[in-house]
Amino acid sequence: MPDILVTRSSMPELNEYVKEIEPLFESRWITNAGAKHEELTEKLKSYLGVEALSLTVNGHMALELSLSLFNMKKHGEIITTPYTFVSTSHAIVRSGFKPVFADIREEDCTLDPDRIEERITDDTVAIMPVHVYGNMCDVTAIEEIAAKHGLKVIYDAAHAFGVKLEINGQWRGSGSFGDLSCFSFHATKVFNTIEGGAVCCKTEKEAERIRELRDFGIVDEENVSDISPNAKMNEFAAAMGLCNLRHVNDEIEKRRKVNDTYREILKDVKGIRLLPERADQRNNYAYFPIFVNREEYGLSRDGLFQLLREHGFGARKYFYPLVTELFCYRDQYDGKETPVALKAADSVLTIPMYADLSPEDAARIAHVIVKGK
Ligand code: T4K
């Protein structure tokens, strides 16, 4: 196991968490929308700047529940990106829809709006774009296309907690876009509830409906409206969220310092491409991807991966293989249909990034990359 892994969970001081969970040992109310859950819901609405929100057991179930909200035509097609974690496409398939993959933009690895319309058919019901590494999609262009064709937009915002985008002079939180936006609060994310997630909605009515859907479809003690799973967040997870939320701005600031260290040292390395920073976006520095051009750098992506390992640094290839190249998808899809995404997947390396990574360690990692083989 490398000494420094690709990420490390953010956690509060033990005493802070103990204090947060103490009341649970009195009340014995430890799940099913308890006090911590309700408090976290309110605090997240305010932090994320969204109208309504429903917490879930994880980010994946947030996606699945969101796909149940609008009674979209069953077996309809949903346009999405192959450059994502399998959860995105799994949620689409498991909800009875068909993923249709469109290519991404090289500059930020998000769904390319210019590649969406050519994928729209009479069966298309929605677009599920993914904000990648904390980079927001071109929300304006995507939502214009959706409006023109009468499609829903459900964002996978798993990577975008706390990100803000400037639109027409106004800063808007990542969860406020589209019809719905889904977050992951997994241990490896910028903000975690150990496991957890949320669906951000436009109205309380929608959030209330997600509350029913995440609880077996139970409306009240005698009425069950839907055949739906159990996808609720428990009180210990919510308590972790309340603690982590107090520190998340400091954590993002520490991540920024790691980001700045990497960028300074890696900015002119031949054959190593960094994604540009954007003036209209306040990033969360969720990941630090680099893209390796073997010919120019003199070492392949996998060669650099190995070299970092030898120095005790654990990089990861998020996202490789491309979803469409995975065993469970490759019979029906072909990665070559999305060449930009295929190239990104074949050259990406996400190097260690987390709040507690010291800028000194970040510099050591970057210098291994500068030196190369
Ligand atoms: N959509 C997108 C775009 C996503 O990226 C994800 C999740 C989802 C949807 C679904 O959300 P969730 O249902 O997961 O909430 C990880 C995560 O398990 C997964 O949540 C995440 N994306 C994905 C990108 O990465 P692995 O298989 O790489 O995790 P693992 O166990 O190898 O951990 C990676 C590193 O994190 C370890 O080297 C050390 C560190 N770590 C890990 C764990 C489990 C910790 O520091 N603490 C921990 O508890 O999938």
Side-chain angles (χ1 to χ4, degrees), residues 107-123:
E107 67 266 26
D108 61 7
C109 295
T110 66
L111 199 56
D112 186 343
D114 292 339
R115 300 268 80 86
I116 292 178
E117 277 192 301
E118 64 202 26
R119 294 285 198 265
I120 295 176
T121 70
D122 290 346
D123 291 327

Side-chain angles (χ1 to χ4, degrees), residues 7-9 59-60 85 87 156 159 184 186 188-189 316 318:
T7 193
R8 191 159 186 261
S9 294
H60 180 80
F85 189 55
S87 175
D156 180 337
H159 287 196
S184 161
H186 183 263
T188 54
K189 296 290 185 265
R316 290 290 290 269
Y318 297 132

